[in-house]
Amino acid sequence: MDRQIRVMVVDDHPMWREAVTRDLTEAGLDVVATAGDGEEAVRRARAVRPEVLVLDLNLPRLPGVEVCRQVVAQDPAVRVLVLSASGEHADVLEAVKSGATGYLVKSAGREELLDAVRRTAEGDPVFTPGLAGLVLGEFRRLAAEPPAATAAPQLTARETEVLRLVAKGLSYRQIAERLVLSHRTVQNHVQNTLGKLQLHNRVELVRYAIEQGLE
């Protein structure tokens, strides 16, 4: 049985919302709340503080990207996995810019969804195949723009090494195996790096690494 990952499910279609909730619950995850519109989602997320928010983009009363922006602003520790019917590139990039750490299309199977939620809880960026390259490509494009002049924080050699592997898209487990470290040690290095760089999640970390030419 899984560690009790606290999950909140947001979707305006009751049948879909109930089906996702049932799948997650049966797999041993803890669905602490659900919501059917954007305003309700922001309110409930503030009250229950989920680890992972499974979020549809097409919501009444407040769009999904705005829900994502507000929820992450009020609790930077929350990780947002978008689960959307749209695979449109503009929607994906907008979701990531608003703070989502993953994006899955609704055609994904049950096991794919469960794996995505678990990996999102661990801090991995999770994208439907084909979309990860799009996001990395956008980060590279942004990195080509002139950066604002800021003093670079001092990272240790090990933190820089871990950051380089994060930018290559490796999971924490893969990084741990490559560097012969424990999974927990890799997570600690990433958390320290996030703190030094004043970043909130792994997606922002990948973008920073690319901007610094650490790929």
Side-chain angles (χ1 to χ4, degrees):
M1 187 161 156
D2 280 282
R3 173 180 73 79
Q4 284 275 293
I5 300 167
R6 293 167 53 81
V7 186
M8 180 171 165
V9 178
V10 180
D11 198 292
D12 63 330
H13 293 288
M15 286 179 65
W16 181 267
R17 190 168 66 241
E18 287 162 17
V20 170
T21 298
R22 185 175 61 249
D23 285 347
L24 295 175
T25 303
E26 286 175 355
L29 287 86
D30 183 15
V31 178
V32 293
T34 64
D37 69 64
E39 290 180 359
E40 180 185 36
V42 173
R43 235 182 5 258
R44 289 196 176 169
R46 185 183 298 120
V48 302
R49 299 177 72 86
E51 291 174 74
V52 178
L53 182 69
V54 178
L55 177 69
D56 186 21
L57 289 183
N58 190 16
L59 297 171
R61 302 183 73 183
L62 199 65
V65 289
E66 189 54 37
V67 172
C68 184
R69 196 172 283 118
Q70 290 190 26
V71 168
V72 171
Q74 70 193 16
D75 182 10
V78 72
R79 286 155 181 159
V80 180
L81 174 65
V82 170
L83 185 61
S84 174
S86 168
E88 291 293 322
H89 290 182
D91 289 336
V92 179
L93 295 176
E94 189 65 26
V96 170
K97 286 172 184 172
S98 69
T101 56
Y103 196 107
L104 210 60
V105 293
K106 284 186 173 180
S107 56
R110 178 179 181 274
E111 287 307 315
E112 195 176 350
L113 170 62
L114 294 175
D115 180 61
V117 172
R118 292 175 187 127
R119 288 177 55 206
T120 297
E122 285 188 2
D124 283 351
V126 182
F127 293 92
T128 291
L131 296 182
L134 166 78
V135 173
L136 287 174
E138 175 69 2
F139 287 164
R140 289 192 186 99
R141 187 189 68 76
L142 292 169
E145 296 174 0
T150 53
Q154 291 300 304
L155 300 180
T156 66
R158 180 63 92 188
E159 286 167 351
T160 302
E161 195 173 14
V162 170
L163 180 57
R164 184 175 282 113
L165 294 176
V166 166
K168 290 182 185 298
L170 273 66
S171 70
Y172 291 156
R173 208 156 269 114
Q174 289 169 323
I175 294 170
E177 287 170 4
R178 183 171 295 196
L179 299 181
V180 198
L181 299 171
S182 72
H183 185 267
R184 173 61 61 190
T185 300
V186 171
Q187 282 188 316
N188 288 341
H189 282 311
V190 171
Q191 286 307 120
N192 290 342
T193 303
L194 286 171
K196 286 183 180 180
L197 301 177
Q198 295 185 308
L199 302 175
H200 296 122
N201 57 53
R202 187 169 160 162
V203 172
E204 292 181 3
L205 201 58
V206 171
R207 177 173 169 180
Y208 173 85
I210 290 170
E211 286 173 348
Q212 300 301 311
L214 290 175
E215 289 179 276

